[in-house]
Amino acid sequence: MKVELFHAPGCSRCAAGREDLKAAAETTVTGIVWREVNVLDEMDYAIDHGVLSLPAIVIDGELVFSSLPTPQQLRTALTRRNAREQ
């Protein structure tokens, strides 16, 4: 499973929960791939995934959160997605 956090440098909301979200993702699903996407460097990629506001989280190519979730909200989304894939 691949989780991408879309952010921009200097975005305080983006930085606020980054480490907590990464830790939540890595402890919820084994073998998770965590990627942080700087939209200033990858604007077209962000637009292709429907990211219109920051921060945003895309899971396996699908925009799941268009604003920063709590670690618990991310864990819940990952657990549900993982159960569907099993």
Side-chain angles (χ1 to χ4, degrees), residues 2-18 21 33-69 74:
K2 183 177 184 180
V3 177
E4 296 173 291
L5 172 66
F6 287 77
H7 68 92
C11 171
S12 60
R13 289 181 308 164
C14 300
R18 185 181 317 184
L21 291 171
V33 174
W34 178 268
R35 181 170 182 252
E36 295 182 11
V37 180
N38 178 340
V39 296
L40 298 180
D41 294 335
E42 300 185 60
M43 182 67 72
D44 290 339
Y45 184 73
I47 292 169
D48 288 346
H49 285 82
V51 174
L52 301 176
S53 63
L54 298 176
I57 293 188
V58 170
I59 302 173
D60 290 336
E62 176 186 344
L63 179 61
V64 177
F65 295 102
S66 58
S67 62
L68 197 65
L74 180 59

